[in-house]
Amino acid sequence: MDNLLKSYRLIPLEEGEGFIKVMVPEGIDPLIIEDLRFSSGKEVIPVFVEQGEFAQRLQEALAQEEVSLEVEGEEGTEIRDILYEEDTGPAVSFLNQTIIKAVNVSASDIHIEPYEREALVRMRLDGVLHEYAQIPLSLHEQVVSRIKVLANLNVAERRVPQDGKIAIKVGRRHLDLRVSILPTVFGERVVLRLLEKGGKVLRLEDLGLWEEDLLKLRRLSQKPYGMVLATGPTGAGKSTTLYAMILEIKSPKKNIITIEDPPEYQIEGVSQIQVNPKVGLTFAVGLRSILRQDPDVIMVGEIRDSETAQIAVQSALTGHLVLSTLHTNDAPSAITRLFDLGVEPFLIASALEGVIAQRLVRKICHKCKEAYKPSEEELKELGIEENSHIYFYKGKGCENCMGTGYRGRTGIYEVLELDEDLKKFILKTQDAVEIRSYAKGKGFKSMLEDGIRKIMAGITTTEEVLKAVKAEER
């Protein structure tokens, strides 16, 4: 029965004394069924299903398979559709199985790390690394060589870092694997970043915003000019938020241009530029050139220096909607950061229309979610008064979430929309603490408050929110 899955890429359903029942895709070559009948000496009963459903079922079946390391054979040179590729060697088999598993559990990265006695393979799922397998160092070397061949890298070079890209297909899903190889004491360390081609860009309503914040972002998206900033650490989903705003306003009547490092999604009807410092194409240089392209909306991947900040602010003041990101802890700190980058307070007040600060938190797995009574300490840490009627939720762990209790991620947000009063206040002070206090008096809600609402709604857990929001904000 295992042979059906590995050699024939068919899914076994039932096996009797004189027959084998198998799931097969519509349009299968009849010779495959005939070959199976001949090799097994049994009657083959095919159960036909639509191609897409079969690919999904095969992917799930292969992901559950134990990886065999004893297979020997010549190494292949190219991945086509790895669901249907025959196992031609231990490295090919292991790498294919690992990629299929990663796709099946929606992992974002695969880490292959050599140590003194063996190599460790881990997957990043919802922002957290989980151990997947341990492999001998001999197999690790073969796997790294296989990856280098697929990424067109120098197989013989083991002393310097190498970067590349592999295009693969898993069933109907097309992915790009970004490859980073780094030499370490015990061998070469590999990280594969999984990016789905034509990956779905989330819309504003998919980001996990409450209705009032969703309305604020829609208002900010529709501004004819001005600057809107998304702030937070690396990997907080800032670019995803800005792309969602672009989708909200994208139309044939608007000229939208982005400059990024690198572009994370491809959006039809939006011109996207990748910065290239080696040839002098920095954010500042690219932004100046974009202004000569008659844009309506400009997205700048990140404001990193004073020059980019000055040009972005001037662009916002001269009739363009400018979307960009900053690395600050919260929304009010973005104003302080712009001031530190040399932008005058009156220019900040004139140009800035809104700031979105955000973090990503894991969502409780819906299949193993269960209610519990929070302890007094847990409520105290969140600043909630003890109440016998309060229940929180957590996931106990199941196959759906790889035993973690979490599946998928959502954002926690604070949206600072600048009205005339707040703009006047910015002229008086650029201190983040004072701005936050003033904004709170006008109804501003912090990320912690947003996180507590999501805990109460059974979306995430106390641990996730407290981990995401720094101690000074609590």
Side-chain angles (χ1 to χ4, degrees):
M1 293 283 271
D2 287 345
N3 195 40
L4 287 172
L5 197 59
K6 290 184 178 177
S7 302
Y8 289 94
R9 288 302 193 256
L10 302 176
I11 302 171
L13 297 174
E14 188 183 348
E15 186 172 13
E17 228 173 86
F19 73 93
I20 302 173
K21 187 184 282 189
V22 290
M23 183 183 290
V24 301
E26 290 175 349
I28 188 174
D29 186 344
L31 290 176
I32 293 175
I33 294 174
E34 187 58 29
D35 183 48
L36 175 57
R37 186 191 66 76
F38 181 78
S39 62
S40 66
K42 295 183 177 183
E43 184 63 32
V44 178
I45 305 169
V47 177
F48 293 95
V49 294
E50 188 265 330
Q51 286 270 4
E53 183 188 343
F54 181 80
Q56 178 64 29
R57 294 284 294 274
L58 181 62
Q59 180 179 321
E60 290 169 1
L62 285 169
Q64 298 302 320
E65 281 280 286
E66 288 295 322
V67 180
S68 170
L69 305 182
E70 290 77 39
V71 186
E72 293 197 7
E74 193 176 335
E75 196 169 276
T77 57
E78 184 181 339
I79 287 185
R80 301 232 180 241
D81 186 338
I82 63 172
L83 282 179
Y84 300 102
E85 185 175 271
E86 292 183 16
D87 297 341
T88 55
V92 178
S93 173
F94 179 78
L95 184 59
N96 288 1
Q97 296 281 99
T98 304
I99 293 169
I100 291 166
K101 180 69 174 180
V103 171
N104 201 46
V105 298
S106 304
S108 60
D109 302 84
I110 299 168
H111 290 231
I112 304 170
E113 308 158 8
Y115 295 104
E116 189 174 4
R117 293 184 176 84
E118 60 193 1
L120 183 64
V121 181
R122 300 192 289 173
M123 294 183 187
R124 189 174 293 280
L125 178 61
D126 296 329
V128 179
L129 280 169
H130 298 276
E131 187 173 325
Y132 168 64
Q134 293 177 350
I135 58 174
L137 291 174
S138 57
L139 179 67
H140 166 265
E141 288 181 13
Q142 294 174 45
V143 170
V144 174
S145 295
R146 169 70 172 164
I147 290 168
K148 286 181 178 179
V149 168
L150 292 169
N152 293 316
L153 300 176
N154 186 345
V155 178
E157 181 57 77
R158 298 180 179 182
R159 298 161 300 171
V160 298
Q162 295 190 67
D163 295 308
K165 194 163 78 169
I166 305 169
I168 64 162
K169 184 182 172 195
V170 182
R172 288 186 172 182
R173 298 174 69 175
H174 294 259
L175 298 102
D176 277 333
L177 302 187
R178 282 192 197 155
V179 181
S180 172
I181 300 177
L182 187 70
T184 71
V185 173
F186 298 113
E188 290 175 292
R189 187 184 198 281
V190 182
V191 175
L192 304 176
R193 165 67 55 89
L194 281 71
L195 299 167
E196 193 146 2
K197 279 188 182 175
K200 184 189 171 191
V201 181
L202 296 178
R203 296 193 169 272
L204 286 176
E205 55 267 29
D206 303 324
L207 298 181
L209 293 152
W210 298 113
E211 189 63 32
E212 60 269 29
D213 287 339
L214 182 59
L215 290 172
K216 285 180 188 175
L217 257 64
R218 286 205 165 119
R219 279 199 298 270
L220 291 171
S221 302
Q222 299 295 339
K223 295 276 183 185
Y225 54 85
M227 178 186 278
V228 179
L229 296 174
T231 79
T234 302
K238 302 184 295 294
S239 296
T240 302
T241 300
L242 296 185
Y243 275 115
M245 293 179 76
I246 287 173
L247 275 191
E248 186 76 15
I249 54 177
K250 184 172 79 80
S251 89
K253 295 179 182 177
K254 287 194 174 176
N255 180 16
I256 304 173
I257 305 177
T258 77
I259 179 161
E260 305 164 73
D261 184 22
E264 292 182 31
Y265 303 94
Q266 278 74 50
I267 304 178
E268 194 174 339
V270 176
S271 299
Q272 296 171 277
I273 303 164
Q274 177 162 353
V275 298
N276 189 350
K278 289 180 183 175
V279 296
L281 180 54
T282 61
F283 278 116
V285 170
L287 191 46
R288 280 204 186 91
S289 299
I290 287 171
L291 290 171
R292 294 192 284 271
Q293 291 282 318
D294 186 31
D296 296 298
V297 181
I298 304 166
M299 176 179 148
V300 185
E302 186 185 342
I303 293 176
R304 294 177 179 171
D305 52 53
S306 179
E307 188 182 9
T308 308
Q310 298 281 359
I311 303 166
V313 167
Q314 288 298 334
S315 305
L317 291 170
T318 52
H320 308 92
L321 178 62
V322 179
L323 309 175
S324 191
T325 70
L326 271 179
H327 287 288
T328 65
N329 284 336
D330 57 19
S333 297
I335 294 158
T336 310
R337 178 73 179 133
L338 285 176
F339 180 67
D340 291 343
L341 286 169
V343 182
E344 294 291 341
F346 74 92
L347 291 176
I348 298 172
S350 301
L352 194 60
E353 294 296 333
V355 184
I356 307 126
Q358 63 184 87
R359 301 286 190 278
L360 290 179
V361 293
R362 291 184 291 173
K363 294 197 291 187
I364 300 167
C365 173
H366 67 278
K367 289 196 175 175
C368 60
K369 180 175 169 179
E370 57 183 16
Y372 73 96
K373 191 85 179 65
S375 66
E376 190 180 336
E377 291 77 18
E378 190 174 345
L379 291 172
K380 190 177 178 182
E381 201 162 5
L382 292 170
I384 300 172
E385 289 184 20
E386 193 174 0
N387 187 325
S388 59
H389 300 297
I390 289 180
Y391 282 89
F392 289 173
Y393 297 85
K394 63 183 176 183
K396 61 181 179 181
C398 65
E399 284 185 9
N400 183 56
C401 59
M402 283 182 67
T404 63
Y406 298 98
R407 185 71 192 259
R409 288 192 288 180
T410 190
I412 56 173
Y413 303 89
E414 58 184 38
V415 183
L416 183 64
E417 198 175 15
L418 277 72
D419 59 12
E420 288 306 313
D421 290 339
L422 195 49
K423 289 187 177 205
K424 285 176 186 172
F425 190 76
I426 289 169
L427 293 173
K428 296 176 188 173
T429 178
Q430 294 78 52
D431 182 84
V433 176
E434 290 183 33
I435 293 168
R436 171 177 282 276
S437 177
Y438 183 82
K440 277 200 167 187
K442 296 176 70 66
F444 171 72
K445 297 282 191 296
S446 70
M447 271 185 288
L448 179 59
E449 290 172 285
D450 188 51
I452 291 169
R453 281 182 74 182
K454 288 188 166 87
I455 293 168
M456 306 279 272
I459 296 168
T460 189
T461 62
T462 303
E463 292 78 17
E464 280 297 297
V465 171
L466 295 181
K467 188 170 65 178
V469 182
K470 292 205 167 196
E472 61 264 25
E473 295 173 34
R474 300 213 285 272

